[in-house]
Structure formats: structure tokens, C-alpha cells
Amino acid sequence: MDGAISVIVPTLNAGRQIDTLLARLEQQTRKPDEIIVVDSSSEDITQEMVQRHLEVKLIVIDRKDFNHGGTRDAMLRESTGDFVLFLTQDAMPSDNDYIAKIVAPFTDDEVALVYGRQLPRKAARPAEVLVRKYSYGDESMVVTKADIPSLGIKAFHSTDVCAAYRRTAYLEVGGFETDVLTNEDMFIAARFLHAGWKIVYEANATVIHSHNFTFKQQYKRNYIQGVEIAKHKDILGDASLSGEGLSLVKYTLGGLLRQGHVIEAMRFTVDCGFRLIGNRNGQRAAAKSHGRKER
């Protein structure tokens, strides 16, 4: 595939894992033409680790200025690649062909966005393993505007944990919003589809990435998502949210029980309660805020 490739990694107190990640990127069979690390004023050795990699461009910003959409947008516009890849600091490409695999679908000129597959860490809880397997299956998929009615909210699924963007398409739809708390990847995916572009889930491009969230963390995460989803109803339209969530719950609970993880199944049920309450409270908060603005 022709075209320059940039890789952008936002960091905050990444420690030695950023050194490992950058080394893996430098070992890729399709080497990136540019790597940018944007660091939110880390207080540990992150910047020292980055500076060991002489070809990597380090940009330091104030922590208060970081924004999931705005910071990524600024860095993409700062970059030079025809194709721009985003990775989070804790997403490790599982092999040296990751970049080659995630950019391969761009041979189709109608593809705007490609996102890869997340494989769980060895320490992932049994429920998290199943959640990752459900959300990131082993079959690649191409999504177009025509798929929205049948896929619902899943049509807009994407992840900047491991994603690649065609610069021209990104700029055409206006890029990420500059003031968004989370899910910037979902909202731009929706814009791509509505504009007639294709999105590809490339199951062969894999990274190691998962989280063992506490109930409190799960609530907070879903509260923020609820706020942003409520604010973006105009982009998401009538795509069903609840159906996809219920399918995930059934899949994960069924898998845990078949594996004999009864206690884990009970914990996951409670976890789902925190997800649901957080999401609903976030949507209610956004609706109230919108109502106040209209008065």
C-alpha cells in the first residue's frame, strides 16, 4: 500500500511500557514514517523513555488541556502521514506485522477507518476475556451506511485503542470534535458512514489490551459514555443501544456459567448493574443540562 504512515500515542505516566511499545513499533515489518508521542505532563519516567527513541517526536502538553477528541485532532493535523494510526499507551501490537495488517484494507479507496482486534491480557478476569471475545471476534468485517438498520449501534463500533484513519476522509468529515469526554471514535465512525465511507474491522491486526475495572471505575466510565451518547443522538440517530448491550450480557454470562465460573458470573451481574446505572444517569444528566440551555 502506497502512502506515508504516522503513528500517534497519547501518554500519561506510562512508565517503562512506553519504551516497550515504541520498540515494538520500530520493529514492525512496515515501519512507520513518523511516530508522535503527545504526553500530558507525566510525573514519572515517561518522557525520559520516549527520548531514548531518537526518531520519535515528543510533544508535551498541560494535563488540563488533554481532551480525547481535541488532542487527537490536533496531533493528526500536526502529523504528515497519508494514513494516521492511533494507539493507547497500554495497547501492545501482538506481532511485528500489526501496521502492515491494519493499513491493508486501505487498498480500497472507499475505506476511511480501520480498527483492530483487542486480545485480553493474561491477567484479565474471565468475564473480561469473554467481553473482548464478543466485542472483537475473529472475523473481519466491512461496514457501510446500508448496514446501520441491521447492525444498530454496532455499525458505529470503533476504537482508538488501535485504529487507522485515511487523512483525506478524516478532514472531509471535519475530524474529531475538540470537546468530547469519550467515544470520539464512535462519533467519527458515524460521520464516515453517513458520508458514504466504509469502516473496516480488521481482525488480523491485533493488540494486547484489556482492563479489570472496579465497580466504581465501571460506573464512572459508563456515566461519561452516557453523557456523550445523549449529546450525540443527532449523529447516532435511532440506532439501538439496549439490544447490543443485552446480547453482550447474555453471551458473557452464558460463557462464564458454562466454564463453571459461578462467582465470576455473580460479580459480572453486579458489574453490569453499575454499567447500566452509570449510563442511564449520564444520559439523564446530559438531558437536564440540555434542557437548562434551552430555557
Side-chain angles (χ1 to χ4, degrees):
M1 187 213 65
D2 295 329
I5 295 174
S6 297
V7 179
I8 298 172
V9 184
T11 57
L12 172 61
N13 295 331
R16 297 189 182 280
Q17 68 180 353
I18 189 61
D19 185 34
T20 306
L21 173 56
L22 293 175
R24 176 58 58 87
L25 291 174
E26 291 165 346
Q27 295 164 2
Q28 292 288 299
T29 54
R30 173 44 171 107
K31 298 186 184 302
D33 300 282
E34 174 183 54
I35 302 175
I36 298 175
V37 171
V38 52
D39 183 65
S40 296
S41 299
S42 290
E43 299 166 341
D44 65 354
I45 60 173
T46 296
Q47 293 179 30
E48 177 188 339
M49 292 293 102
V50 174
Q51 289 167 347
R52 291 183 177 185
H53 301 263
L54 301 182
E55 300 301 316
V56 174
K57 182 176 183 178
L58 173 64
I59 298 175
V60 180
I61 63 174
D62 287 340
R63 192 170 305 180
K64 63 179 176 59
D65 294 332
F66 175 82
N67 175 277
H68 281 281
T71 301
R72 285 183 170 87
D73 178 76
M75 292 303 102
L76 185 144
R77 295 174 191 273
E78 175 80 16
S79 70
T80 59
D82 301 293
F83 304 96
V84 181
L85 281 57
F86 287 102
L87 283 167
T88 54
Q89 65 186 33
D90 58 345
M92 183 63 60
S94 58
D95 58 40
N96 290 337
D97 294 322
Y98 169 76
I99 290 180
K101 291 172 180 175
I102 203 164
V103 300
F106 287 122
T107 53
D108 181 344
D109 292 337
E110 296 181 355
V111 172
L113 163 63
V114 183
Y115 66 98
R117 183 183 185 188
Q118 296 182 35
L119 302 175
R121 304 179 191 281
K122 291 181 179 179
R125 300 185 70 95
E128 178 69 358
V129 172
L130 288 166
V131 167
R132 295 289 158 177
K133 186 175 181 180
Y134 177 88
S135 300
Y136 303 97
D138 56 8
E139 291 188 10
S140 299
M141 179 171 62
V142 179
V143 181
T144 69
K145 184 177 182 179
D147 296 311
I148 296 175
S150 61
L151 291 177
I153 198 69
K154 194 173 183 179
F156 310 134
H157 187 208
S158 180
T159 173
D160 279 339
V161 166
C162 51
Y165 292 82
R166 184 186 299 273
R167 176 182 292 275
T168 53
Y170 178 91
L171 297 176
E172 178 188 302
V173 300
F176 296 130
E177 296 175 48
T178 55
D179 184 20
V180 63
L181 299 172
T182 188
N183 287 87
E184 78 290 339
D185 38 24
M186 172 187 283
F187 305 137
I188 198 169
R191 290 194 180 92
F192 282 139
L193 292 183
H194 290 310
W197 291 93
K198 297 177 183 177
I199 295 172
V200 174
Y201 166 55
E202 180 49 70
N204 295 312
T206 57
V207 299
I208 308 300
H209 179 264
S210 60
H211 293 290
N212 291 328
F213 286 126
T214 64
F215 295 143
K216 183 178 180 180
Q217 290 172 325
Q218 199 67 270
Y219 175 89
K220 182 178 180 180
R221 184 169 182 260
N222 282 271
Y223 180 93
I224 295 171
Q225 287 180 346
V227 169
E228 291 298 341
I229 286 173
K231 288 165 58 178
H232 291 82
K233 290 289 188 182
D234 58 326
I235 301 172
L236 302 179
D238 297 324
S240 173
L241 293 167
S242 58
E244 180 62 18
L246 184 59
S247 295
L248 171 62
V249 172
K250 289 180 177 179
Y251 175 88
T252 305
L253 276 179
L256 290 173
L257 293 174
R258 283 192 298 273
Q259 294 169 7
H261 296 300
V262 178
I263 294 176
E264 180 73 1
M266 294 170 64
R267 185 190 184 280
F268 179 69
T269 300
V270 176
D271 182 83
C272 289
F274 278 91
R275 294 183 193 218
L276 178 62
I277 295 170
N279 191 278
R280 286 183 175 176
N281 286 349
Q283 292 199 46
R284 289 191 187 111
K288 288 181 180 179
S289 176
H290 182 68
R292 286 194 295 269
K293 289 178 181 179
E294 288 185 338
R295 291 193 189 108

